[in-house]
Amino acid sequence: MANRLKDKIAIVTAAGQGIGKATAIAFSNEGAKVIATDINDKTLNELKKEFPKIEVQKLDSTDNDSIKKFINKFDKIDILFNAVGFVHHGTILECDENDWDFSFNVNIKSMYFMCKSALPIMLKNNSGSIINISSVVSSIKGLPNRFVYGATKASIIGLTKSIASDFVKNNIRCNAIAPGTVFTPSWEDRVRQSKDPVKAKKDFIARQPMGRLGTAQEIADFAIYLGSDESTFTTGNVFSVDGGMTI
Ligand code: NAD
């Protein structure tokens, strides 16, 4: 433990599993007081059992009223880590209006709600770091069958840059991480649900020139940097952590 986030208060969304969980644990190990949120209280309770220092709170990141109630309890928020996301499979032809609305609600409207509630508290303290999880599949790169996912993840980059620009004079930074393919429970589900899981796994791995998937810890490690005072000159940027996918 290096205490790179000593005494910082960090809210992490989608912390029940995958990248959000790894980040909640990593932030806590670096000395932050972490409030881990997720819609799934079963995985949150498991996290609490394993890491009693981490506070957990069931929260649907698409429910603005619950978000306001939850966030308004804080006097200080140093780090907001927004990780909620859903992967829709298909081209524009397989994406109906409900799919479009669902993906935009979960992937980007959730970040709008979380940032809008947290910013007044960050402004009061004249300090804060917001970290949004986008994806390489966004305005950075198009990949087959990720139509609405890519559209939402590109929007996250726009949201990130707009917030960074509006609050740059208030010592509030906003950055995005764009992961390549990362080994997480939802990735495993995507492989299992494909027509040919063996081929799907091989194809996912082949997307990264490093010849492997990323780990949730490798994304969390980058998030520690963005949440810490080591990155105080860094805002409005998107950082690909992707095994060389965008070389
Ligand atoms: P995951 O899909 O394994 O877990 C997602 C978590 O989000 C779950 O715990 C789930 O309960 C929670 N969640 C879902 N809807 C919610 C809601 N409305 N409110 C609160 N919590 C909700 O996660 P992951 O694969 O680690 O992905 C995390 C983020 O990283 C996502 O935004 C994803 O798009 C992005 N990402 C993942 C990969 C990858 O390969 N895994 C690659 C690039 C980007």
Side-chain angles (χ1 to χ4, degrees), residues 112-170:
Y112 155 65
F113 288 155
M114 292 297 298
C115 292
K116 189 161 180 178
S117 283
L119 271 162
I121 296 158
M122 290 181 168
L123 278 172
K124 218 171 59 191
N125 291 291
N126 203 40
S127 150
S129 173
I130 299 172
I131 305 158
N132 297 322
I133 297 299
S134 174
S135 170
V136 160
V137 183
S138 58
S139 49
I140 301 172
K141 194 174 168 77
L143 279 182
N145 292 312
R146 289 290 180 268
F147 163 68
V148 69
Y149 181 73
T152 62
K153 292 294 181 179
S155 301
I156 290 171
I157 294 173
L159 173 140
T160 299
K161 285 183 178 284
S162 298
I163 291 174
S165 170
D166 285 334
F167 299 99
V168 68
K169 300 273 196 258
N170 305 96

Side-chain angles (χ1 to χ4, degrees), residues 1-2 26 32 36 38 55 61 73-74 80 95 121 129 134 138 153-154 156-157 160 165 179 190-191 225:
M1 179 154 85
D38 200 288
E55 267 181 47
S61 292
K73 289 188 289 200
F74 291 87
L80 172 62
C95 176
I121 296 158
S129 173
S134 174
S138 58
K153 292 294 181 179
I156 290 171
I157 294 173
T160 299
S165 170
R190 280 192 288 286
V191 168
Y225 168 70

Side-chain angles (χ1 to χ4, degrees), residues 206-221:
R207 299 206 300 202
Q208 285 71 225
M210 283 189 188
R212 66 171 177 90
L213 301 183
T215 64
Q217 183 63 45
E218 286 172 313
I219 309 303
D221 284 339

